[in-house]
């Protein structure tokens, strides 16, 4: 009985460790996407896409299509 509990706890700890590694990986991807977004944003003629931007922005809360935050939580 005690051994089963130890095995269960060990598996649980491994799972938690594995899940945390996903969050770190997603955070790294988020930083890379943010850098890419900032680099290409300067080259975009926003006025050209004004109508599309207004349409998309009505479905995005708390930000705009030009200031998207990549979520990883």
């Amino acid at each position: 009985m005690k051994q089963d509990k130890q095995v269960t706890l060990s598996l649980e700890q491994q799972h938690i460790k594995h899940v945390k590694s996903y969050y770190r990986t997603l955070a790294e991807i988020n930083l890379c996407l943010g850098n890419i977004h900032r680099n290409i944003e300067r080259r975009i003629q926003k006025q050209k896409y004004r109508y599309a931007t207004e349409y998309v922005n009505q479905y995005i809360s708390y930000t705009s299509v030009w200031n998207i935050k990549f979520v990883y939580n």
Side-chain angles (χ1 to χ4, degrees):
M1 186 80 151
K2 185 177 179 181
Q3 187 176 8
D4 291 341
K5 188 174 182 178
Q6 289 174 339
V7 170
T8 303
L9 288 174
S10 177
L11 289 172
E12 207 172 296
Q13 289 172 346
Q14 287 178 353
H15 176 72
I16 289 170
K17 187 177 180 180
H18 189 68
V19 168
K20 285 181 181 179
S21 72
Y22 280 135
Y23 286 114
R24 283 192 299 276
T25 303
L26 289 173
E28 291 171 8
I29 291 169
N30 186 34
L31 290 174
C32 292
L33 287 172
N35 289 334
I36 291 169
H37 189 256
R38 280 187 292 281
N39 288 336
I40 65 171
E41 183 182 14
R42 292 182 223 134
R43 301 181 200 144
I44 298 171
Q45 296 175 8
K46 294 181 183 178
Q47 189 59 33
K48 184 177 179 181
Y49 301 102
R50 186 178 57 148
Y51 296 113
T53 301
E54 290 171 359
Y55 177 76
V56 172
N57 281 343
Q58 67 183 340
Y59 298 105
I60 301 174
S61 58
Y62 305 111
T63 188
S64 75
V65 71
W66 301 114
N67 191 28
I68 289 178
K69 304 291 185 210
F70 298 96
V71 180
Y72 58 90
N73 57 0

